[in-house]
Amino acid sequence: QQQVKQSPQSLIVQKGGIPIINCAYENTAFDYFPWYQQFPGKGPALLIAIRPDVSEKKEGRFTISFNKSAKQFSLHIMDSQPGDSATYFCAASMGGSNYKLTFGKGTLLTVNP
Amino acid sequence: DTGVSQDPRHKITKRGQNVTFRCDPISEHNRLYWYRQTLGQGPEFLTYFQNEAQLEKSRLLSDRFSAERPKGSFSTLEIQRTEQGDSAMYLCASSLGTVNTEAFFGQGTRLTVV
């Protein structure tokens, strides 16, 4: 059973575009929702995370939108750059950031110059 | 470099052989996690430690897998009698284990079973 569903599987945008990646979860006990960025041959690195008591969080060019009633959250990347080309994973956890993470399957983002 | 360190970075082994991976967490991090990532998938939780105690194991961790964290510092993950289906990236992460602290991932060990 996949508890976190991520879409799209891949995404291509032009430089300056705003890619949007969506995730949906089923377990209402999840209370921590991070996004990770992974480059080939590297481990995932935390980009930004949100808790269900807020509907939006922004850090630099990255924004998470969270819809608790729909059990969905999304990542927006403003003014995307070729250096943002990577695989992005959403994840969820019960018990905050100090517990095991359940990951989505990932979105391969390509930002063309 | 004071990040999470994993060794080796790559391992090629023949089916049926035993392999062992090592993870050195960020110092003072008392939580340590192992995940497995196959091609085109997100990481999947295997097990985690609070100091030296192994607190949870996933159903993915068959009896051929064993993880240890002696003295609550580095950790090892051993796979006995490897199978081709064990081919994956094995990721280690560590965290302080207090509220609102993130887990930091290592670069992983890429295992190929031939």
Side-chain angles (χ1 to χ4, degrees), chain B residues 2 15 21 27 30 43 54 62 70 80 91 97 107:
Chain B
T2 56
R15 188 175 53 183
F21 312 139
S27 60
N30 53 29
Q54 188 174 18
S62 75
Q80 296 182 327
L91 292 163
Q107 297 198 63

Side-chain angles (χ1 to χ4, degrees), chain B residues 24-38:
Chain B
D24 286 273
I26 294 172
S27 60
E28 299 169 359
H29 278 194
N30 53 29
R31 288 211 174 180
L32 187 147
Y33 310 80
W34 284 99
Y35 289 83
R36 182 176 72 183
Q37 184 177 23
T38 53

Side-chain angles (χ1 to χ4, degrees), chain A residues 1-2 9 32 36 38 40-47 51 87 89 95-106, chain B residues 9 31 33 35 37 40-45 48 56 89 91 95-103 105-108:
Chain A
Q1 179 187 6
Q2 184 188 354
Q9 192 172 356
Y32 173 73
Y36 282 82
Q38 186 175 33
K42 304 290 187 181
L46 179 68
L47 267 180
R51 297 184 185 276
T87 300
F89 293 96
S97 62
N98 305 305
Y99 194 53
K100 65 182 181 183
L101 294 163
T102 300
F103 285 84
K105 291 191 173 183
Chain B
R9 293 290 313 279
R31 288 211 174 180
Y33 310 80
Y35 289 83
Q37 184 177 23
Q41 302 293 317
E44 296 173 291
F45 170 78
Y48 91 98
E56 185 172 342
M89 174 79 85
L91 292 163
S95 72
L96 272 173
T98 55
V99 175
N100 295 329
T101 58
E102 66 168 288
F105 282 82
Q107 297 198 63

Side-chain angles (χ1 to χ4, degrees), chain B residues 8-70:
Chain B
R9 293 290 313 279
H10 304 273
K11 178 71 176 179
I12 300 175
T13 191
K14 292 183 178 180
R15 188 175 53 183
Q17 298 293 305
N18 299 343
V19 294
T20 300
F21 312 139
R22 177 181 171 122
C23 171
D24 286 273
I26 294 172
S27 60
E28 299 169 359
H29 278 194
N30 53 29
R31 288 211 174 180
L32 187 147
Y33 310 80
W34 284 99
Y35 289 83
R36 182 176 72 183
Q37 184 177 23
T38 53
L39 207 59
Q41 302 293 317
E44 296 173 291
F45 170 78
L46 291 178
T47 188
Y48 91 98
F49 292 84
Q50 173 85 17
N51 298 314
E52 68 274 10
Q54 188 174 18
L55 296 186
E56 185 172 342
K57 294 192 290 186
S58 161
R59 288 174 297 174
L60 293 174
L61 214 66
S62 75
D63 56 5
R64 295 185 298 105
F65 288 71
S66 63
E68 295 183 343
R69 193 183 182 197

Side-chain angles (χ1 to χ4, degrees), chain A residues 7-82:
Chain A
S7 62
Q9 192 172 356
S10 62
L11 187 55
I12 300 173
V13 299
Q14 294 299 118
K15 177 182 174 181
I18 305 175
I20 300 173
I21 305 171
N22 300 298
C23 282
Y25 64 97
E26 298 168 1
N27 190 341
T28 55
F30 286 144
D31 61 0
Y32 173 73
F33 302 90
W35 284 89
Y36 282 82
Q37 179 189 58
Q38 186 175 33
F39 293 104
K42 304 290 187 181
L46 179 68
L47 267 180
I48 184 172
I50 198 168
R51 297 184 185 276
D53 52 347
V54 298
S55 60
E56 185 175 282
K57 183 175 181 180
K58 184 178 296 187
E59 286 185 4
R61 296 185 294 109
F62 301 95
T63 299
I64 298 179
S65 298
F66 186 83
N67 186 329
K68 187 175 181 178
S69 60
K71 294 188 286 186
Q72 295 176 346
F73 58 110
S74 60
L75 176 70
H76 302 228
I77 305 175
M78 306 301 177
D79 187 28
S80 58
Q81 302 295 314

